[in-house]
Amino acid sequence: MWGDITRRLKRLAIVSIFAASVSAAPACAQDEAGFQTYLQQVRGTATAQGVSRATLDSVLPTLTLNSRVIELDRRQPGGPANSGFSPFAPYKAAHVDAARIGRGRTKYLAQRPRLSRIERETGVPESIMVAIWGHETNYGAYTGNFDLLRSLASLAYEGRRRPLFEGEFIAALKMMDRGVTRDQLKGSWAGATGNPQFLPSIYLRLARDGDGDGRADIWNSEADTLASIGNYFVNAGWRAGQPWGFAVTVPAGFDRSMVRNRLVSPRCPRVFERHSGWRTIAEWRALGIVPQGAAWPNDQVLATLMEPDGQGATAYLLTGNYRVILDYNCSNFYALSVGLLADAIAG
């Protein structure tokens, strides 16, 4: 970015540079004034939704516009519909690596008493909970240092996705009313916070106390982090006793037109475009699909086929529980890596 700006400035005459510099300050001041006006509008909305006056008075006067998060949001990729797919193998190598597996196993073993209880209560495998934690923040090593309230208010003011970010800003204010401190409300530029990287609205709905102290502390408590992830998965429809999926070999000469998915998903269509139609495990076995080491689940379990690295490479049969992982982050590479990391941690 800065290289492009420098090159453009070098092409401008000195007078143009001067004109740009004197006009920039009023524009920034105008943005800040508009932001402060917007905050007063949000005050009314937040008050109507039950946010306390004490919280509003302590937060709103401290906020200034953060142009950096607006810039980051505008840079988000939205690739053209006809763009090609990247191979999965390099992503897998970077995200299901020996270091992440090793740290995951250490956390897994240290938390087994609590994890086994959470698994009994939720049906979500212990290793899946740990793998989500590992992918989101590398087991708490980095949870983000953006001021959530400032970031969310700035993104809401910008307006491109105002309903989303204004709702999350008000949810963050409600978190403070529940006792979450301002210092805890740090996270990603887009508003995700804590070890599991929950948006504020998700925290309010699904964060859970896992260590019995009466608080859902997803920033400092590993037990609360894992209990909250487990609760998220239950809410998203995890089916106990089913795998997320498993690696398979597709026979040479396999006619993929027989299993083509002819439906268009209303959510994340590019993600589901890579999946076949649903078939039962019995049907996949009859079509010559062979597991790579894993045992077949029940014949009646439904699964889709995906070949993330193309024909001739490892493919995967994916159950409805894979769709639950996608609910956390709608990316095939993310969901596959979570599943594979979980298997490696438990294995």
Side-chain angles (χ1 to χ4, degrees):
M1 178 190 73
W2 290 112
D4 291 340
I5 292 174
T6 302
R7 285 192 291 273
R8 285 199 299 272
L9 288 176
K10 285 180 179 179
R11 290 197 295 266
L12 293 173
I14 296 298
V15 64
S16 298
I17 298 174
F18 175 77
S21 67
V22 297
S23 64
C28 292
Q30 186 177 22
D31 282 345
E32 184 61 42
F35 177 67
Q36 295 302 324
T37 299
Y38 170 70
L39 289 180
Q40 296 312 306
Q41 296 171 1
V42 174
R43 173 186 282 270
T45 305
T47 299
Q49 293 188 24
V51 177
S52 71
R53 180 176 179 177
T55 291
L56 291 167
D57 287 347
S58 70
V59 171
L60 296 187
T62 71
L63 298 180
T64 56
L65 183 66
N66 188 338
S67 58
R68 173 62 175 159
V69 298
I70 293 172
E71 178 186 353
L72 290 168
D73 185 50
R74 290 174 176 171
R75 284 183 182 180
Q76 288 303 288
N82 60 354
S83 62
F85 291 109
S86 301
F88 173 55
Y91 185 96
K92 176 186 173 184
H95 292 81
V96 192
D97 57 300
R100 203 177 304 247
I101 292 169
R103 290 193 70 192
R105 285 177 176 163
T106 299
K107 296 291 186 183
Y108 178 69
L109 293 172
Q111 291 292 331
R112 283 307 297 278
R114 288 194 175 107
L115 283 166
S116 59
R117 175 180 56 79
I118 297 168
E119 180 171 342
R120 287 194 304 271
E121 293 172 354
T122 64
V124 181
E126 305 163 64
S127 56
I128 287 285
M129 292 180 265
V130 175
I132 289 286
W133 182 20
H135 269 276
E136 289 297 324
T137 58
N138 198 9
Y139 312 104
Y142 183 74
T143 57
N145 57 11
F146 282 87
D147 177 344
L148 242 65
L149 290 160
R150 185 182 179 216
S151 296
L152 289 167
S154 298
L155 291 166
Y157 168 69
E158 187 269 347
R160 190 166 70 93
R161 293 189 282 173
R162 178 166 292 180
L164 168 66
F165 289 119
E166 184 175 298
E168 294 301 336
F169 175 64
I170 293 174
L173 294 170
K174 291 178 180 178
M175 290 173 66
M176 291 188 65
D177 276 346
R178 286 193 183 183
V180 177
T181 67
R182 179 74 183 272
D183 288 342
Q184 285 178 305
L185 287 174
K186 299 288 193 295
S188 76
W189 65 264
T193 188
N195 288 309
Q197 291 291 279
F198 278 0
L199 289 172
S201 62
I202 299 299
Y203 175 88
L204 291 175
R205 286 197 304 117
L206 301 175
R208 290 293 179 268
D209 172 19
D211 56 18
D213 67 355
R215 298 180 297 123
D217 184 354
I218 61 172
W219 301 271
N220 302 300
S221 169
E222 296 185 353
D224 291 3
T225 294
L226 295 165
S228 297
I229 293 171
N231 192 49
Y232 184 102
F233 272 51
V234 169
N235 183 262
W238 186 272
R239 296 181 180 181
Q242 283 191 15
W244 63 269
F246 50 96
V248 297
T249 299
V250 178
F254 183 75
D255 183 2
R256 289 162 180 81
S257 67
M258 295 187 303
V259 297
R260 183 178 298 124
N261 182 13
R262 304 185 188 281
L263 302 175
V264 177
S265 173
R267 176 176 175 269
C268 306
R270 287 277 289 166
V271 169
F272 294 110
E273 181 183 333
R274 306 195 71 178
H275 297 209
S276 74
W278 291 97
R279 297 289 187 278
T280 66
I281 291 297
E283 289 172 316
W284 287 118
R285 189 169 60 248
L287 288 170
I289 303 297
V290 179
Q292 293 184 3
W296 286 109
N298 186 284
D299 274 356
Q300 301 309 309
V301 171
L302 288 166
T304 61
L305 177 71
M306 186 170 71
E307 299 174 277
D309 290 310
Q311 298 182 21
T314 295
Y316 297 87
L317 284 182
L318 308 168
T319 74
N321 282 341
Y322 178 85
R323 304 291 176 106
V324 174
I325 303 175
L326 287 175
D327 192 80
Y328 209 99
N329 184 331
C330 203
S331 158
N332 279 314
F333 285 8
Y334 176 91
L336 281 172
S337 293
V338 165
L340 292 169
L341 179 60
D343 290 349
I345 288 170

